[in-house]
Amino acid sequence: MQRVRIEDVDNDVQPAAAMRKLTKPLGLTDFAMNYYELEPGDSFAFAYHSHAVQEEVFYVIEGSATFDTEEGPVEVGPAEAIRFGREEFQRGWNRGEERVVALALGAPLDYGKQVKLRDCPSCGVATDNRLERVEEDGEEVVVAACVECGTETGRWYEGPMDGTVP
């Protein structure tokens, strides 16, 4: 048995006010589990993305999350869950005025190839992006760059981001 207090798990650099990776602290070996708190404008992910191997389930505890999908936006409210199959594109947001609290579950634990589509101003279209964690002024920063031309398409710091999340 493993037990963990969510607030005792370090916050990760994500496009969300809080993202706490619970997989390792709980000793999970077959699926991933993450805790999220999204302020208005925050996102669950760095990009509109899919996983080659993993399917994902988001369970909304409070607030209302909007998921961009290939079929259009889908709103998921408190005590509701949404599942995305392998290779199904999605990106979840807090488009409302209230905080969103949710759990993300993924199985199997391995993502496989992950396509991360972001708008590239140089290419003029959404392109696959690579993410790199770098240190800047003593803090960890995540930078997204277009795999086609190398243009930076986003930059994130730990905690809530001022304004709209890229």
Side-chain angles (χ1 to χ4, degrees):
M1 178 176 74
Q2 293 290 111
R3 181 178 175 176
V4 69
R5 290 179 50 82
I6 291 173
E7 64 223 24
D8 293 340
V9 176
D10 289 339
N11 192 19
D12 192 34
V13 176
Q14 295 287 326
M19 189 274 211
R20 300 180 193 282
K21 296 179 178 180
L22 303 175
T23 305
K24 284 185 183 178
L26 287 171
L28 300 173
T29 59
D30 298 322
F31 77 98
M33 183 175 185
N34 298 313
Y35 169 85
Y36 285 91
E37 292 179 16
L38 278 60
E39 296 298 330
D42 283 357
S43 178
F44 289 102
F46 293 108
Y48 186 64
H49 69 284
S50 69
H51 302 279
V53 177
Q54 188 181 75
E55 57 186 335
E56 280 186 293
V57 172
F58 292 86
Y59 174 72
V60 176
I61 299 166
E62 65 183 67
S64 186
T66 302
F67 289 85
D68 293 337
T69 72
E70 294 175 86
E71 290 81 34
V74 176
E75 191 167 315
V76 181
E80 291 185 329
I82 188 168
R83 175 197 168 267
F84 295 99
R86 295 168 180 90
E87 298 184 342
E88 190 172 358
F89 279 92
Q90 57 85 11
R91 185 175 186 189
W93 295 88
N94 179 354
R95 299 278 191 217
E97 301 293 321
E98 304 296 322
R99 179 178 70 148
V100 170
V101 176
L103 292 174
L105 309 166
L109 185 56
D110 182 28
Y111 292 150
K113 179 169 173 42
Q114 185 182 32
V115 177
K116 297 171 282 307
L117 298 177
R118 294 186 50 78
D119 290 331
C120 175
S122 298
C123 294
V125 295
T127 59
D128 195 8
N129 275 239
R130 68 179 175 279
L131 300 176
E132 183 179 0
R133 290 180 183 265
V134 298
E135 190 171 310
E136 197 173 88
D137 298 326
E139 292 187 45
E140 185 179 38
V141 177
V142 175
V143 179
C146 173
V147 298
E148 299 295 323
C149 70
T151 297
E152 184 177 311
T153 64
R155 181 175 290 261
W156 299 269
Y157 305 88
E158 183 178 338
M161 306 234 343
D162 294 330
T164 303
V165 169

